[in-house]
Amino acid sequence: MNGYKDKVINYGIPILLSVVLATLLQLPQLLNHLGVVGADTIFHFSRFYDTAQQIQNHNFSYFQMNYGMGKTGRIVNAIYGPFFAYLLGALLLVAGSWLRFQILLVYLLFIISGIGMYRLCIKLKMSQFVASIVTSLFLLNGYICYWIPSNSFNAWGAALMPYILMQGVALFNDGKKHFNWISLAITMAIVGQVHLLSTLLSVLVLIPFFIYGLISTTDKRKMWRDTIKAVVLCLLLTANVWGAFLVLYPNNLMGAPLDFSPVLTALRLKAVGTITAWVQIQEVMILLFSLQILYVILNYRSLKLNVFFTIEGAIFLFISSDLFPWQFIQKHYPAVSNYFQFPNRFTAIAYPLLFVGIGLTVKRLTKKYDLQIKILVKVLLIMICLFNFKADLRENILKVNEAKANVERINDFRNKDLTAIIDKNHTGNPDYLPLNARKNSWDIAGMVSAKLNDDKGYNKRALSGGKLKIEWQSNKNKQTNLPITVYSQSQLNVNGKKVNPKLNEIGMPQVTAKVGENTAILSFKTPIWFTVLLYISILGWVIMIIYGVFRLVKIIKK
């Protein structure tokens, strides 16, 4: 009974803490009853709108987007967190408006993040109070809190990082207790279904833990064997993700995301800022990290796991910052600007690693020193949390004040008609467009806004079977660029005839229109082998869910 009570408490505390912080940080939105639009809001809203409409209309199209992205037939969700996009599409239907959806997402993000970090701290035998402080620091710094004003999807990868670190601890301690390869595979697969780039970051953070565990374990063969099992299971659970890449990338020249200078998007350790996210960090956080690194250096002989967390966190913090030679990287490896985009993304690894290290240090200090030192350390950490909270809240207030000027958008957020925001705000992102030649991503974004999004005079609607119908009137026979995108696997029928049209720079087909009414139907031919991979992935998740339910029942019975 006591064990059950402890489990309830150890899940109740982070949930309550996460809900309180999410509510307080969202107060400007809640009190004014308005939503905010950040740099990535429309792009992701359009993704989720597409999956919501697929679910609502029972008209599924895994690759071609016939509802979102301006009904252009673009492919995004198939290679950008596909299953998670469907989950959030379902949540959008439940929410019923973009405002409620945006608010619910913040709560969901904070609860997932809070539970993960708190459980990691408890796993490392920190007290509930210290675990709560570390969890608060995690929620109030970096991409988690930055989700509210920006809707940057890196936040969801950051939210899952504590769960990755739990697997890292298991690998680290393999010599004492063998790690659970199924748990490792499922955790990595979840990250893969949410945010692909975070999967790469997760692998990077786990490698040092794995190497140490492999060196220290007495059964190296078993560790290798179970690691391979985990990799195979993870590949099966993410077969739809890497399978989609195999469908698209060998046969299409795919557009890259917008490129940003890594020099400008690195974390500014040389010049601290007023907020706790993106490229800024507060003085108190630099001081806290510096004290933690110094403490570990002075006591490294007796702090094996703490050293591991802190040194690895410090390395990733250095890589994420303006102290790293990003100017050299940008000059010699320009692809980094497109595909990795922001060096500050490494803070999604650095922050949780360093916060856990700080928690381990506080745990040791409270055992080693008297009551006065314990109180002083805890009070200082609480004060730092308050500084961070104030900075985050101020940023959200500024964002809300900015949003108050757009009355039409405020009403669209509250409206139960989900189409208003999507129809009025086309996304200009160049991601994953089929190109005829490699071009600067900002130039492509300009073409998207000027050409692909210019669909006045065209009537588009989704047909059953995942097809997209485009209708328009023409006063003469002429060549017309349709506001849709065509991939190598796409099929286009114009006025009842299959055509193989000439494509412009961003995959828009040039077709011959006749006098009067014209009709085009766009579809995507999915390879049979990919359909097999998709069903393997779905079946794998069903089996894992059943496995999880049985384990949960077994734990409850105990």
Side-chain angles (χ1 to χ4, degrees):
M1 188 65 185
N2 287 333
Y4 177 75
K5 184 180 178 181
D6 288 340
K7 285 187 180 294
V8 171
I9 292 173
N10 285 332
Y11 278 98
I13 290 175
I15 291 173
L16 180 61
L17 179 63
S18 301
V19 169
V20 169
L21 286 177
T23 302
L24 292 174
L25 289 174
Q26 283 191 104
L27 271 181
Q29 288 98 312
L30 295 171
L31 292 175
N32 290 281
H33 200 60
L34 57 80
V36 295
V37 174
D40 297 327
T41 303
I42 300 303
F43 177 75
H44 293 301
F45 274 16
S46 195
R47 295 202 300 124
F48 307 144
Y49 175 79
D50 186 85
T51 54
Q53 292 300 304
Q54 288 186 46
I55 295 168
Q56 188 175 54
N57 293 287
H58 310 292
N59 185 17
F60 293 94
S61 174
Y62 190 82
F63 282 93
Q64 182 174 296
M65 300 177 74
N66 299 325
Y67 299 100
M69 296 291 162
K71 298 179 181 178
T72 56
R74 287 180 63 172
I75 296 172
V76 176
N77 281 333
I79 46 181
Y80 196 134
F83 285 173
F84 192 55
Y86 279 98
L87 284 175
L88 292 190
L91 180 64
L92 175 58
L93 293 177
V94 172
S97 75
W98 288 110
L99 176 61
R100 286 196 290 268
F101 177 69
Q102 195 172 58
I103 290 169
L104 282 174
L105 276 188
V106 174
Y107 281 113
L108 182 63
L109 176 71
F110 270 64
I111 289 171
I112 291 171
S113 308
I115 290 175
M117 181 53 78
Y118 188 90
R119 293 298 303 163
L120 173 59
C121 293
I122 295 299
K123 185 182 181 74
L124 295 172
K125 297 184 173 17
M126 297 180 204
S127 68
Q128 292 173 343
F129 184 84
V130 174
S132 298
I133 293 292
V134 172
T135 301
S136 298
L137 286 170
F138 178 59
L139 296 176
L140 294 170
N141 285 275
Y143 276 104
I144 305 300
C145 60
Y146 190 57
W147 167 263
I148 299 175
S150 72
N151 292 152
S152 172
F153 222 69
N154 293 296
W156 291 94
L160 296 172
M161 203 52 64
Y163 300 89
I164 294 295
L165 293 182
M166 287 187 208
Q167 300 305 320
V169 172
L171 290 170
F172 184 90
N173 292 324
D174 190 76
K176 300 175 184 176
K177 181 183 177 183
H178 188 58
F179 77 96
N180 186 324
W181 63 271
I182 295 178
S183 179
L184 174 60
I186 292 174
T187 304
M188 289 296 294
I190 289 172
V191 177
Q193 294 290 355
V194 172
H195 191 236
L196 191 62
L197 185 59
S198 293
T199 311
L200 173 61
L201 296 178
S202 299
V203 171
L204 289 177
V205 80
L206 286 179
I207 287 173
F209 289 98
F210 172 79
I211 292 173
Y212 180 88
L214 188 64
I215 293 171
S216 60
T217 188
T218 55
D219 196 342
K220 292 177 174 55
R221 185 173 294 180
K222 184 177 182 181
M223 190 171 181
W224 270 117
R225 186 169 59 246
D226 282 358
T227 301
I228 293 170
K229 286 182 189 176
V231 170
V232 171
L233 179 56
C234 181
L235 288 173
L236 291 174
L237 294 175
T238 57
N240 59 312
V241 180
W242 54 263
F245 273 85
L246 292 178
V247 169
L248 294 169
Y249 275 81
N251 302 301
N252 299 276
L253 181 60
M254 303 288 282
L258 290 170
D259 64 305
F260 292 87
S261 168
V263 176
L264 300 177
T265 57
L267 183 67
R268 294 169 190 162
L269 291 182
K270 295 177 183 177
V272 293
T274 57
I275 63 174
T276 68
W278 189 232
V279 298
Q280 297 190 44
I281 185 170
Q282 289 195 308
E283 294 98 327
V284 289
M285 295 311 303
I286 293 180
L287 178 61
L288 183 62
F289 291 155
S290 299
L291 290 173
Q292 169 63 16
I293 294 168
L294 180 62
Y295 179 81
V296 164
I297 291 172
L298 294 175
N299 298 274
Y300 70 94
R301 293 182 186 277
S302 57
L303 303 171
K304 190 183 296 182
L305 187 58
N306 196 347
V307 168
F308 223 83
F309 272 98
T310 303
I311 298 304
E312 190 175 351
I315 290 170
F316 282 116
L317 184 69
F318 169 70
I319 296 172
S320 74
S321 75
D322 51 5
L323 300 177
F324 192 77
W326 284 111
Q327 187 75 52
F328 175 85
I329 299 294
Q330 181 178 346
K331 181 180 178 180
H332 292 86
Y333 305 98
V336 171
S337 300
N338 280 113
Y339 293 100
F340 193 74
Q341 292 182 296
F342 320 121
N344 62 66
R345 278 177 163 159
F346 281 112
T347 60
I349 305 176
Y351 285 169
L353 283 166
L354 287 168
F355 290 143
V356 171
I358 290 165
L360 291 170
T361 296
V362 174
K363 169 190 166 184
R364 188 169 188 264
L365 290 175
T366 53
K367 285 183 178 179
K368 188 175 181 180
Y369 296 102
D370 56 22
L371 183 62
Q372 287 84 353
I373 296 296
K374 292 179 185 179
I375 294 173
L376 178 62
V377 170
K378 291 176 180 178
V379 168
L380 284 174
L381 288 176
I382 291 172
M383 291 298 294
I384 291 172
C385 287
L386 291 174
F387 274 117
N388 292 333
F389 171 77
K390 181 182 177 182
D392 295 335
L393 184 60
R394 183 173 60 241
E395 180 72 7
N396 294 341
I397 290 171
L398 291 173
K399 193 70 179 179
V400 167
N401 289 338
E402 179 186 314
K404 286 180 180 178
N406 195 330
V407 177
E408 183 181 17
R409 184 174 285 170
I410 291 172
N411 293 329
D412 289 341
F413 261 92
R414 298 172 183 173
N415 200 331
K416 292 183 178 179
D417 179 10
L418 301 174
T419 61
I421 283 182
I422 301 301
D423 290 343
K424 294 175 184 176
N425 300 276
H426 288 301
T427 177
N429 296 61
D431 308 47
Y432 318 124
L433 282 167
L435 309 179
N436 63 5
R438 186 67 64 194
K439 289 181 174 64
N440 179 275
S441 58
W442 288 98
D443 292 337
I444 297 168
M447 294 177 197
V448 172
S449 298
K451 299 178 181 180
L452 187 59
N453 291 342
D454 184 18
D455 58 0
K456 291 180 181 178
Y458 294 90
N459 179 41
K460 301 177 184 177
R461 61 188 177 93
L463 301 178
S464 61
K467 298 178 180 179
L468 180 64
K469 186 176 184 180
I470 306 98
E471 298 174 307
W472 74 101
Q473 294 284 336
S474 179
N475 54 14
K476 61 180 179 178
N477 296 328
K478 63 177 182 178
Q479 295 294 306
T480 302
N481 285 322
L482 296 181
I484 55 175
T485 54
V486 173
Y487 295 78
S488 65
Q489 296 90 344
S490 299
Q491 292 186 349
L492 184 65
N493 286 276
V494 178
N495 297 323
K497 294 181 180 179
K498 183 179 177 181
V499 297
N500 187 23
K502 180 182 177 182
L503 306 177
N504 74 354
E505 301 96 326
I506 54 175
M508 293 173 59
Q510 186 181 84
V511 301
T512 303
K514 65 180 183 179
V515 176
E517 184 175 327
N518 291 267
T519 302
I521 295 176
L522 179 69
S523 58
F524 188 89
K525 189 176 181 181
T526 305
I528 295 175
W529 60 264
F530 175 80
T531 304
V532 173
L533 289 179
L534 177 61
Y535 283 121
I536 287 173
S537 183
I538 293 171
L539 180 61
W541 282 107
V542 170
I543 292 172
M544 288 301 103
I545 290 170
I546 294 171
Y547 166 78
V549 170
F550 274 108
R551 282 202 63 185
L552 182 62
V553 171
K554 191 175 180 181
I555 291 169
I556 292 172
K557 284 183 177 180
K558 283 184 178 179

